[in-house]
Amino acid sequence: ARGKHPDEDVDGVRAVLRVLVIFAIVTPFWSLFDQKASTWVLQGNAMELPGWSWFKNAAQMQALNPLLVMMLIPFNNVVLYPTLKKLGIEPTALRRMGTGIAFSGLAWIAAASLQLAMDGGEKLPVLWQALPYALLTFGEVLVSATGLEFAYSQAPAKLKGVLMSFWSLSVTVGNLWVIVVNAS
């Protein structure tokens, strides 16, 4: 393409293609993340509600996600990342995203552990779901916020919108994985 197109444009497309590899790796995260609104609610429906007058059904546990996001983003930026830097650990975008995917995996292990206890006949309070929600939300903050920041910083000015649309496509592909799995 060099010679037919300006070097700046060719380099820009190459930068976008490198970031798309990262986006492909993130699609499984989205397939797991978005099941919190379905699979985890179904699990919560089989659990005991706390008995508070305002707590009417298990779907209300999802409110933890935005609440935790609003707490974790400032915590990460003000406390966690500076502390890691002082300890000699550079929290690069790729490290944060990898750690976020790992925490999301831990969230699913925690949810599976709750389910195993319930399958064994134990009736658990729905508030036990706070642990998997917290782990998943921490993972989300590391993957989503970092992924957007990373993509935006890597894209040339002309292609920032294109890269953001590919980020949205990675979320869509993650959700399509869920549809395919559930259909089979």
Side-chain angles (χ1 to χ4, degrees):
R2 293 204 191 272
K4 290 184 178 182
H5 302 282
D7 286 345
E8 177 185 314
D9 291 348
V10 173
D11 292 340
V13 170
R14 290 178 61 131
V16 167
L17 291 174
R18 282 191 299 269
V19 173
L20 291 182
V21 172
I22 303 300
F23 287 4
I25 294 169
V26 172
T27 59
F29 164 80
W30 290 114
S31 66
L32 294 175
F33 175 80
D34 287 333
Q35 288 187 54
K36 73 175 172 37
S38 58
T39 307
W40 288 11
V41 172
L42 293 174
Q43 180 186 58
N45 286 338
M47 300 172 93
E48 291 180 0
L49 297 179
W52 304 324
S53 62
W54 54 270
F55 203 106
K56 300 294 182 196
N57 72 48
Q60 288 176 278
M61 288 297 290
Q62 291 183 77
L64 280 175
N65 180 258
L67 176 68
L68 289 169
V69 165
M70 297 307 290
M71 293 183 337
L72 287 170
I73 290 175
F75 172 80
N76 287 355
N77 291 332
V78 174
V79 177
L80 181 61
Y81 300 152
T83 301
L84 289 173
K85 285 180 183 179
K86 285 181 185 174
L87 294 172
I89 301 167
E90 183 62 35
T92 64
L94 296 179
R95 284 182 181 161
R96 288 184 285 178
M97 290 173 71
T99 302
I101 290 170
F103 268 91
S104 300
L106 290 174
W108 279 91
I109 291 170
S113 298
L114 294 176
Q115 190 62 47
L116 287 172
M118 291 167 53
D119 290 346
E122 193 173 344
K123 187 76 169 171
L124 297 176
V126 74
L127 296 178
W128 274 100
Q129 282 190 327
L131 174 62
Y133 272 103
L135 292 168
L136 186 68
T137 303
F138 185 62
E140 174 196 11
V141 167
L142 292 174
V143 171
S144 184
T146 303
L148 285 169
E149 172 191 339
F150 177 73
Y152 200 79
S153 71
Q154 298 299 306
K158 288 182 185 179
L159 297 173
K160 289 191 186 294
V162 170
L163 207 48
M164 293 299 105
S165 67
F166 276 114
W167 178 258
S168 295
L169 182 62
S170 74
V171 176
T172 302
V173 170
N175 287 311
L176 290 174
W177 283 31
V178 175
I179 291 169
V180 169
V181 168
N182 287 341
S184 64

